Amino acid sequence: TPLAAPALVAAPVAAVELGDALFLVAPDHIAIQRGAAVTRVPPPDGAWAEAIAMPALDDAATWVVARTAAGTLWRITTGGDLVPIHDLLGLAPPIRSIASTAAGAAAGATAAFAMDHAIGVLHDRAHLAQFPLPDGPGALAVSPTRLAIRRADQLEVWDLGARHRARFTVPGLVAAGFAGDTLVAASRDAVFVEADHQLHRRAAPAPITGLAIAGARAWLATTAGLFRVDADRLTRADAPAADRVLGLAGGDLVTATARLSPARPDDDPRWIADVAPIFRRVCARCHAPPGDALDLSTAAAWRAHRAALERRVVETRSMPPAGTPISDADRAALAAWLR
């Protein structure tokens, strides 16, 4: 799906979705796309560095939070307003890195914030625990239960429950993330997938230009195209090559010019065309992995729960829950697929 022309950015560094709003982050501005409308938000200082979706502190909603290169944190509304949140979080700038499971409003979503000598972890909307960081900050990645810190060729992985730490060395390490709770790392010529507490190397089919986590799946961007990282293989997707690919919590991928919904083995074309766009707009905040709500990010999941979904979406209309906007046209499209 092409992005609206005003939203194009030359070098996207992050992409976050909140309801019907897509936040595409570049150093010089954040483009917020809602349908055909685009709002641009310049950085209040320096340049934008990264952005996440995280559990709101004041209610059951989700915030989009962006970090500048100067180390300041800002909540960004869908209308483009900036709200400083250092005092709300109890974190003193500069903040060197941020990460989230991007699980939206789902219980168990985790957000992490690296400072020079400590790291803050928010896991329950109310309490932000701080831990010492004697080796200094690095790029962060989190799952609901674990956290990874990337420094040069080193990955330090924390088990947030057991308070256990492990270290991995990946020569030429350029990116890392969690696909569900599985650690995935990439160098320029290989991808490393965690199994049995080890990282197993798999040669890439072409030079790697990026690693993206979309929902609970990992994707490699290479000069030869896009590849899904499965447990035992790399599967090429029917998508163009891109210098930079970013993942969304609902499972889609974003480049500077397009939004991609790579086909999965268990998805059918009609579900992708008719249901997936509604899922992203209406359902993904609660039903995209990871999260406590039922995962409905695939056609297989909708087929497995067809009877319950038809009853709740079509008959009783108890799904989506009150307060979640859905148009009559969207509900009719879901009804047509479910029946």
Side-chain angles (χ1 to χ4, degrees), residues 45-85:
D45 54 71
W48 292 118
E50 53 188 341
I52 60 172
M54 62 169 279
L57 299 182
D58 53 358
D59 53 36
T62 302
W63 287 349
V64 172
V65 171
R67 180 181 71 87
T68 69
T72 60
L73 287 181
W74 302 84
R75 176 192 170 197
I76 305 176
T77 70
T78 53
D81 296 323
L82 293 177
V83 182
I85 62 168

Side-chain angles (χ1 to χ4, degrees), residues 316-336:
T316 67
R317 297 198 168 200
S318 59
M319 181 182 287
T324 303
I326 182 172
S327 68
D328 290 341
D330 282 349
R331 197 181 291 275
L334 296 179

Side-chain angles (χ1 to χ4, degrees), residues 244-313:
R244 177 80 173 178
V245 176
L246 306 168
L248 297 175
D252 279 6
L253 298 165
V254 173
T255 71
T257 59
R259 177 174 181 150
L260 310 173
S261 297
R264 303 163 188 162
D266 58 355
D267 286 346
D268 63 69
R270 187 175 165 219
W271 187 91
I272 292 171
D274 297 345
V275 178
I278 303 171
F279 171 81
R280 291 195 299 264
R281 291 195 306 271
V282 179
C283 316
R285 184 174 296 186
C286 295
H287 291 282
D292 289 346
L294 178 67
D295 179 3
L296 293 175
S297 61
T298 66
W302 283 69
R303 285 192 294 270
H305 300 280
R306 186 187 294 268
L309 289 169
E310 183 174 355
R311 182 175 65 254
R312 298 190 63 186
V313 173

Side-chain angles (χ1 to χ4, degrees), residues 117-175:
H117 303 292
I119 192 163
V121 179
L122 177 70
H123 196 62
D124 62 1
R125 297 184 181 275
H127 301 95
L128 192 145
Q130 293 198 35
F131 305 92
L133 203 57
D135 294 332
L140 295 180
V142 293
S143 79
T145 62
R146 294 195 296 163
L147 178 148
I149 307 168
R150 174 168 56 90
R151 306 182 186 94
D153 289 352
Q154 301 295 313
L155 272 175
E156 182 179 330
V157 182
W158 298 9
D159 184 312
L160 297 173
R163 304 291 176 89
H164 171 73
R165 302 187 186 188
R167 293 179 184 270
F168 300 98
T169 298
V170 180
L173 177 66
V174 295

